[in-house]
Amino acid sequence: MRYLLLAMAITLVSFQHKKDERSTRTFKADIIIYGGTSAAVTAAVEASRSGKSVIMVSPDRHLGGLSSGGLGFTDTGNKEAIGGLAREFYHRVYLHYQQDTAWKWQRAAEYGNRGQGTVAMDGENRTMWIFEPHVAEQVFEGFIAENGIRVFRDQWLDRKQGVGMVGGEIREIQTLSGNTFQGKVFIDATYEGDLMAAAGVSYHVGREATTTYGENWNGIQKEAFHHGHHFKAPIDPYVVKGDPTSGLLPFISEEPPGTNGQGDNKIQAYCFRLCMSNHPDNRIAFEKPEGYDPADYQLLARVFESGWNEWFQKYDAIPNKKTDTNNHGPFSMDFIGENYAYPEASYQERKAIIKAHEQYQKGLLYFVAHDPEVPEQVRKQMQEWGLARDEFTDNGHWPHQLYIREARRMLGEGVLTELEVLGKRAVEHPIGMGSYSIDSHNVQRYVTEDGAVQNEGDIGIHPPEPYQISLGSILPRRQECINLLVPVCVSASHSAYGSVRMEPVFMILGQAAAATAVLAIDRDTGVQEVNYQTLRPKLLERGMVLDLDMPK
């Protein structure tokens, strides 16, 4: 809470949206895409290549979302399920790393070839799945330039009165700058689903009960430790060990965790995916952040004291002696429990939450590198690392995108559940495939009945094979909106979304959304009325993978 209050104080001074009357204008296109994510880019490219005029209205200045924001160690799952523009993206990454000039800080032969679910560099299929953030951004910008796509950056939807609707149809959206964008079909490709929500489309935040959709892995899941991100030894949660009257250490909830299988309004933890370097000429030492207090990390000190030694296990190598550093262990990069308000928060409140995450992670890095309570061997090794000097150069070398693992999820024409993901129920009208595990990071940190600290919410269940994602998952209910598609905040349960929420899948669904929009425009129908038997061959023509059993 202290981090959040400090961040809000900073935000109140620094964050504001001012209307510039000189720049307020109306812009028109067949398809208006709100967002700057990887899904937004693939949607825009598909629309342009299909002969439609398209405008991207992006709150972000940098395009690509997490794909260009630090998540370079791609969550591929089965790469055979990835087609279309998503595969083209990874092919272009491959071409980049075929150039000698791409290898500035190490030779290509020194890098190795370890990926996640596949090799990093697949020479046979000419794809590369592991990459540096700036390379991903270059590829996305190349897509935009080559296809002549108009992008309006730093444009934030007026969430209160910026969606003009008539009879369940969006006619225009307005941003806080005063610009208006009119179109025939709109696509919400944000991680938050702000356009979807402002248009009055139904959605859910939090975990459903297991009984809602007949699932096993939704809702509260105490004692489910699928990734090892839990306290493996009893750790005392109190400021003074053994004394509950001394209060809890920071970032431990005073609330009981609830009963297994119950739904709640909590969401899995966020973090920044950090691009670090251990090359002496390309690293910037971790600095003490504003508001730093070593007491905030006393719980981690107790974890080290218990003998835990896994701190460096998720410093996944990407090219040029850099990392995609993710959360690992019971107390790590994830700021557990500090993001619950984010999905519905105002822009100002969100910026404060994002800043609090940044301060938490910067303090964590400094603590591990310098605090005497950290084992000396860990401290010395940590001091060999720093932020990569040549990444995120306009943001203090810090990622420009927080990992919004889950926010709003639409309640659409169809709801993808773990039954479909785990192959227990067939899917109608597939528009793409997923294959990654049902993956939820921890949701809460609490005190057990035995008086020890524990985490809850860490789920990892592997589908037996790649699964199909239905057209209904990206369509709002027709009585709510007939010209909106939602390829990121898709209609899925919490547990199913844990698998869908991977960047390759978002690219796939972004392309499918645009292809659907094109047909809706051509036939002058609502998006729900698009004939799937017409859509399917269009997707296949684009190299999309709808069924692994189909002829190659």
Side-chain angles (χ1 to χ4, degrees):
M1 180 60 70
R2 180 173 53 78
Y3 273 92
L4 184 57
L5 290 174
L6 176 61
M8 290 184 70
I10 296 171
T11 301
L12 285 170
V13 175
S14 64
F15 185 73
Q16 53 184 329
H17 288 288
K18 294 181 179 179
K19 285 191 177 183
D20 183 348
E21 297 300 335
R22 294 169 297 177
S23 65
T24 57
R25 297 172 56 191
T26 296
F27 303 92
K28 298 181 180 180
D30 293 322
I31 299 174
I32 304 296
I33 299 167
Y34 184 60
T37 62
S38 60
V41 175
T42 57
V45 172
E46 174 62 31
S48 178
R49 290 182 180 179
S50 297
K52 300 303 179 189
S53 59
V54 57
I55 293 176
M56 281 180 63
V57 182
S58 174
D60 312 300
R61 288 179 289 120
H62 297 274
L63 302 183
L66 254 294
S67 286
S68 61
L71 203 166
F73 196 72
T74 305
D75 303 308
T76 52
N78 185 330
K79 66 180 184 296
E80 299 304 320
I82 301 171
L85 285 168
R87 182 164 284 265
E88 184 177 341
F89 169 82
Y90 297 108
H91 171 62
R92 291 185 177 213
V93 172
Y94 172 88
L95 294 178
H96 172 84
Y97 284 108
Q98 295 304 298
Q99 306 171 80
D100 290 339
T101 54
W103 298 92
K104 181 177 181 180
W105 303 109
Q106 70 179 154
R107 292 182 302 162
E110 296 173 343
Y111 168 60
N113 206 26
R114 186 177 75 89
Q116 184 176 187
T118 182
V119 293
M121 186 179 299
D122 183 353
E124 179 181 354
N125 293 291
R126 295 173 61 80
T127 50
M128 187 160 179
W129 307 93
I130 312 298
F131 46 84
E132 299 159 275
H134 76 271
V135 172
E137 187 168 3
Q138 288 173 10
V139 173
F140 286 123
E141 292 290 355
F143 274 134
I144 295 299
E146 291 169 24
N147 293 279
I149 296 165
R150 298 182 73 184
V151 181
F152 291 77
R153 304 174 197 246
D154 197 24
Q155 293 288 310
W156 299 78
L157 177 69
D158 182 343
R159 291 159 58 188
K160 294 183 178 179
Q161 51 188 8
V163 179
M165 296 188 68
V166 177
E169 185 174 3
I170 303 172
R171 297 293 176 86
E172 64 182 29
I173 63 173
Q174 187 174 76
T175 60
L176 292 175
S177 68
N179 289 328
T180 298
F181 299 90
Q182 298 176 346
K184 299 174 182 177
V185 176
F186 293 75
I187 297 175
D188 185 339
T190 63
Y191 292 122
E192 295 84 3
D194 284 341
L195 174 55
M196 169 190 75
V201 171
S202 299
Y203 60 87
H204 187 82
V205 175
R207 299 181 286 187
E208 299 92 349
T210 52
T211 56
T212 301
Y213 298 116
E215 298 172 303
N216 291 322
W217 298 109
N218 212 332
I220 297 163
Q221 298 287 335
K222 293 180 296 184
E223 306 299 317
F225 304 136
H226 294 173
H227 294 109
H229 303 322
H230 62 283
F231 294 88
K232 298 177 181 179
I235 304 293
D236 191 296
Y238 300 109
V239 174
V240 177
K241 289 182 179 180
D243 181 7
T245 65
S246 65
L248 293 169
L249 290 173
F251 316 129
I252 301 174
S253 174
E254 298 179 353
E255 301 296 324
T259 303
N260 276 2
Q262 283 185 337
D264 59 21
N265 61 356
K266 300 179 174 67
I267 54 178
Q268 59 181 303
Y270 299 166
C271 72
F272 286 94
R273 297 288 285 256
L274 300 180
C275 187
M276 299 182 184
S277 175
N278 64 353
H279 193 293
D281 297 330
N282 194 39
R283 71 170 182 233
I284 297 177
F286 303 124
E287 298 180 350
K288 183 188 296 186
E290 183 178 4
Y292 172 75
D293 185 348
D296 288 337
Y297 309 99
Q298 182 61 38
L299 186 54
L300 178 59
R302 293 183 185 179
V303 175
F304 281 127
E305 184 181 41
S306 73
W308 183 81
N309 62 353
E310 302 174 18
W311 179 255
F312 295 100
Q313 286 199 10
K314 282 303 289 178
Y315 284 43
D316 292 313
I318 63 176
N320 283 308
K321 290 188 176 292
K322 299 176 189 176
T323 72
D324 168 356
T325 303
N326 195 9
N327 180 81
H328 183 81
F331 190 107
S332 181
M333 302 294 170
D334 283 355
F335 202 12
I336 298 172
E338 302 300 318
N339 63 338
Y340 299 156
Y342 182 88
E344 303 283 19
S346 68
Y347 292 134
Q348 183 171 299
E349 291 165 340
R350 282 184 189 164
K351 189 167 184 181
I353 292 169
I354 293 169
K355 187 66 177 178
H357 279 70
E358 178 183 339
Q359 291 169 317
Y360 164 79
Q361 280 186 256
K362 285 182 173 179
L364 178 66
L365 297 170
Y366 185 82
F367 177 84
V368 176
H370 296 284
D371 196 276
E373 291 200 79
V374 175
E376 183 179 10
Q377 182 180 359
V378 176
R379 273 184 285 134
K380 286 184 176 180
Q381 186 175 352
M382 191 68 177
Q383 290 170 15
E384 296 175 2
W385 291 93
L387 297 178
R389 186 182 298 275
D390 60 351
E391 297 288 350
F392 312 116
T393 55
D394 65 344
N395 196 44
H397 314 286
W398 192 261
H400 45 71
Q401 175 67 59
L402 181 65
Y403 196 170
I404 309 302
R405 289 189 172 94
E406 185 175 7
R408 299 182 178 102
R409 288 174 283 107
M410 182 172 66
L411 292 170
E413 285 282 284
V415 180
L416 184 74
T417 75
E418 70 182 51
L419 300 179
E420 289 80 22
V421 172
L422 297 180
K424 298 179 180 180
R425 187 162 61 198
V427 170
E428 293 185 348
H429 303 155
I431 56 172
M433 300 190 76
S435 64
Y436 202 77
S437 64
I438 293 175
D439 180 21
S440 173
H441 281 230
N442 277 306
V443 175
Q444 55 184 334
R445 179 177 290 140
Y446 66 99
V447 179
T448 69
E449 294 178 359
D450 296 329
V453 62
Q454 193 51 269
N455 296 333
E456 181 274 323
D458 178 38
I459 303 298
I461 304 295
H462 294 279
E465 57 187 5
Y467 58 90
Q468 297 173 316
I469 303 168
S470 73
L471 175 60
S473 297
I474 65 172
L475 298 175
R477 295 168 178 169
R478 65 190 67 204
Q479 66 268 28
E480 294 180 345
C481 187
I482 63 171
N483 68 333
L484 175 69
L485 294 127
V486 184
V488 176
C489 292
V490 297
S491 181
S493 70
H494 162 74
S495 53
Y497 195 79
S499 176
V500 170
R501 64 174 184 82
M502 306 304 158
E503 289 292 299
V505 180
F506 285 157
M507 293 187 218
I508 291 166
L509 297 181
Q511 184 173 8
T516 305
V518 169
L519 289 178
I521 292 170
D522 287 345
R523 286 154 177 75
D524 193 24
T525 66
V527 293
Q528 295 86 359
E529 307 306 320
V530 169
N531 187 310
Y532 179 73
Q533 299 309 318
T534 304
L535 173 64
R536 180 182 173 88
K538 295 291 184 183
L539 298 177
L540 295 177
E541 286 174 12
R542 297 298 196 195
M544 303 279 276
V545 179
L546 307 183
D547 185 344
L548 288 187
D549 294 330
M550 66 187 185
K552 302 296 182 185

